[in-house]
Amino acid sequence: MASEDELNLLVIVMDVNPIWWGQQAQRELEFTLSKCMDAVMVMGNSHMAMIRTNKLAVIASHCQDSHFLYPCKSWRASDGCGEDSSCSGDGKYELLSVANKLIAERIRNVMSKTEVKGNSTDTLLAGSLAKALCYIHRVTKELKVGQEMKSRILVIKAADDCARQYMNFMNVIFAAQKQNILIDACVLDSDSGLLQQACDITGGLYLKIPQKAALAQYLLWVFLPDSEQRSQLLLPPPAHVDYRAACFCHRNLIEIGYVCSVCLSIFCNFSPICTTCETAFKIQLPQVVKAKKKKLKPST
């Protein structure tokens, strides 16, 4: 267990794609967005209740924008009698009640203002992860001298991957790796090759849950313990990582392609000029062998 003087920040990135959750409500009535948010709040409450100094942030990843559910601009530490207080009439930790109330109100406002326009139905997961890294960096800058903080990001993925976000996604992954920030992934539907790479590179856990209704149990069993406690637990075996890259021309996942030797851009088809850095490649054409003329035999 970590000491009480050590800060531990958990940022939960929740996929709230309205298209996917609308289809999910028609397929399975026992697992809806509201029940998923209940499991997320159970996870967040458990994290903050384990140690007094634990911190929590929840980000909703939409198909149009990313929204902070907790903490938000309207929330102040004094609203909950202070972060270190446990004043409550019914004996409940006040900070947990404030967090649950804010998360429920914010997710209700986000989903009620949803207007899907055009073909932009992909979840902006790369932008949400970038916002999580920026928030972790801001909290780190506000620490006292000599104080340290461990940070990790938990992604709850619902919709399918978007190959067009490959470059932004990889930039976020390498930035998290440089900052020693773990990225965990809890996938609800089809496997995510991008999140498999993120978990493998940063040292996090990747799990595709077999039963959506048991989401809260999987969150508490697999993702609540930190990196030090996980070494003492019997966790699911690591999944096979799909390391296919997305080409820069069509954003398709490919296994074999052409790589620019200058900017390392990947293309599925050969091009004599790199469209990214505009480098022209010198192509050595095969030498044309001239056919030897046959000597005519003198006629007799």
Side-chain angles (χ1 to χ4, degrees):
M1 295 293 292
S3 61
E4 292 190 358
D5 297 332
E6 184 181 29
L7 298 181
N8 195 328
L9 172 60
L10 172 63
V11 181
I12 301 178
V13 178
M14 178 62 203
D15 187 353
V16 295
N17 189 305
I19 304 298
W20 190 90
W21 283 108
Q23 297 174 352
Q24 172 63 25
Q26 296 177 356
R27 292 192 301 261
E28 302 179 27
L29 296 177
E30 65 273 8
F31 185 75
T32 58
L33 178 60
S34 60
K35 295 182 179 180
C36 181
M37 293 306 302
D38 291 340
V40 171
M41 287 188 283
V42 169
M43 172 70 176
N45 292 346
S46 302
H47 174 74
M48 290 190 293
M50 287 183 66
I51 302 177
R52 178 179 54 87
T53 55
N54 281 0
K55 294 182 178 296
L56 175 69
V58 182
I59 300 176
S61 182
H62 201 269
C63 60
Q64 298 172 348
D65 198 1
S66 300
H67 306 270
F68 264 98
L69 303 182
Y70 176 85
C72 58
K73 295 181 180 179
S74 60
W75 179 83
R76 297 176 300 174
S78 58
D79 294 342
C81 302
E83 288 192 10
D84 300 334
S85 175
S86 59
C87 57
S88 179
D90 56 355
K92 185 179 180 180
Y93 186 29
E94 187 70 17
L95 185 59
L96 303 184
S97 300
V98 173
N100 294 345
K101 181 179 178 180
L102 281 175
I103 293 174
E105 291 179 356
R106 292 284 295 171
I107 191 62
R108 190 180 302 112
N109 294 336
V110 170
M111 300 306 293
S112 61
K113 298 178 182 178
T114 297
E115 294 183 3
V116 180
K117 299 179 181 179
N119 297 325
S120 58
T121 58
D122 298 320
T123 304
L124 300 179
L125 188 58
S128 302
L129 290 175
K131 183 173 289 189
L133 291 180
C134 293
Y135 178 76
I136 293 174
H137 180 72
R138 192 189 76 181
V139 175
T140 304
K141 290 295 183 181
E142 296 175 353
L143 296 178
K144 299 178 181 178
V145 178
Q147 196 173 22
E148 296 182 357
M149 181 182 68
K150 293 183 179 180
S151 306
R152 54 193 175 106
I153 300 174
L154 171 60
V155 180
I156 301 179
K157 186 78 163 59
D160 295 335
D161 279 342
C162 177
R164 289 176 294 180
Q165 302 182 30
Y166 175 79
M167 282 304 303
N168 297 333
F169 209 97
M170 296 306 297
N171 290 335
V172 170
I173 293 174
F174 290 124
Q177 181 191 31
K178 188 175 182 180
Q179 298 297 326
N180 295 324
I181 298 175
L182 297 181
I183 297 181
D184 298 326
C186 179
V187 180
L188 303 179
D189 200 358
S190 57
D191 279 312
S192 171
L194 296 177
L195 285 178
Q196 287 178 354
Q197 298 182 35
C199 297
D200 186 61
I201 293 174
T202 61
L205 291 176
Y206 176 90
L207 177 64
K208 180 181 180 298
I209 60 174
Q211 298 179 358
K212 300 182 183 68
L215 175 62
Q217 287 85 340
Y218 285 107
L219 292 178
L220 296 178
W221 166 46
V222 179
F223 299 105
L224 181 59
D226 56 18
S227 58
E228 297 179 356
Q229 299 169 356
R230 290 174 183 177
S231 60
Q232 305 175 5
L233 300 176
L234 184 61
L235 298 175
H240 173 72
V241 181
D242 184 6
Y243 265 109
R244 289 183 300 171
C247 65
F248 283 44
C249 46
H250 303 96
R251 304 299 180 184
N252 296 327
L253 296 178
I254 58 176
E255 297 181 358
I256 300 177
Y258 299 89
V259 181
C260 174
S261 59
V262 178
C263 65
L264 302 181
S265 298
I266 304 172
F267 303 97
C268 57
N269 298 320
F270 174 76
S271 175
I273 300 177
C274 177
T275 57
T276 304
C277 62
E278 299 182 354
T279 299
F281 302 105
K282 296 181 179 179
I283 305 174
Q284 295 182 355
L285 298 176
Q287 296 180 356
V288 179
V289 180
K290 295 182 179 180
K292 294 182 179 180
K293 294 182 179 180
K294 295 182 180 180
K295 295 182 179 180
L296 297 176
K297 296 181 179 180
S299 59
T300 56

